[in-house]
Amino acid sequence: MTSNEENDDRTDPRVLVVDDDGDIVRIVRFVLREMGITRIESASDGDQALALLTKGHDHFDLIICDWVMPTLSGLDVLIGIRAMNARVPFLMLTAKVSPEAIAAAKKAGVTSYIAKPFTPIELKKKPAS
């Protein structure tokens, strides 16, 4: 788990990136920084993500999460977050794009969905939607 607090301006959104693939985390961080977002934290699996959300670090303005990960899946993370009554925007970033998977994510309260592989332009457009 890493943190980047270069910019302590509270108007800068706080984003949690959850993915077990370090390359994807680096790409997402790069795109977010290009968008001017510097308050970025990451977790490499669902357990770490939920631990961040339940141990006093529960304010995020956006969560970007992979679906297929060790321990808890992205869907499990989403369900856990929604069970805490958190209304934080949740962007699922995954190769799991079957109609059944999309329906399950929507039922669980996903805000938006991006299929892997993705382009930086797709990622830049989605968080605002």
Side-chain angles (χ1 to χ4, degrees):
M1 179 172 48
T2 60
S3 176
N4 182 351
E5 296 293 333
E6 294 169 4
N7 182 353
D8 198 32
D9 179 1
R10 296 299 168 202
T11 61
D12 185 15
R14 187 168 174 223
V15 178
L16 175 60
V17 179
V18 186
D19 201 308
D20 59 320
D21 184 333
D23 291 334
I24 296 294
V25 172
R26 282 187 286 282
I27 291 167
V28 171
R29 281 179 169 275
F30 177 80
V31 172
L32 291 172
R33 286 186 186 122
E34 279 192 332
M35 296 170 62
I37 298 169
T38 60
R39 297 173 63 217
I40 306 164
E41 294 188 43
S42 62
S44 61
D45 63 43
D47 282 333
Q48 284 184 354
L50 287 180
L52 275 173
L53 292 160
T54 58
K55 292 185 179 176
H57 302 288
D58 57 349
H59 176 75
F60 289 96
D61 300 296
L62 173 65
I63 297 172
I64 301 173
C65 187
D66 185 22
W67 187 311
V68 179
M69 297 181 292
T71 68
L72 294 177
S73 72
L75 185 62
D76 293 329
V77 173
L78 175 58
I79 290 168
I81 288 168
R82 295 302 186 235
M84 291 181 231
N85 293 319
R87 300 283 33 130
V88 60
F90 192 103
L91 174 62
M92 191 74 77
L93 182 64
T94 185
K96 218 171 161 74
V97 293
S98 70
E100 297 81 14
I102 293 170
K106 285 182 179 180
K107 182 178 178 185
V110 74
T111 306
S112 196
Y113 208 94
I114 293 181
K116 288 180 181 176
F118 63 95
T119 67
I121 291 170
E122 289 174 303
L123 185 58
K124 286 179 182 179
K125 287 181 180 179
K126 283 293 183 169
S129 60

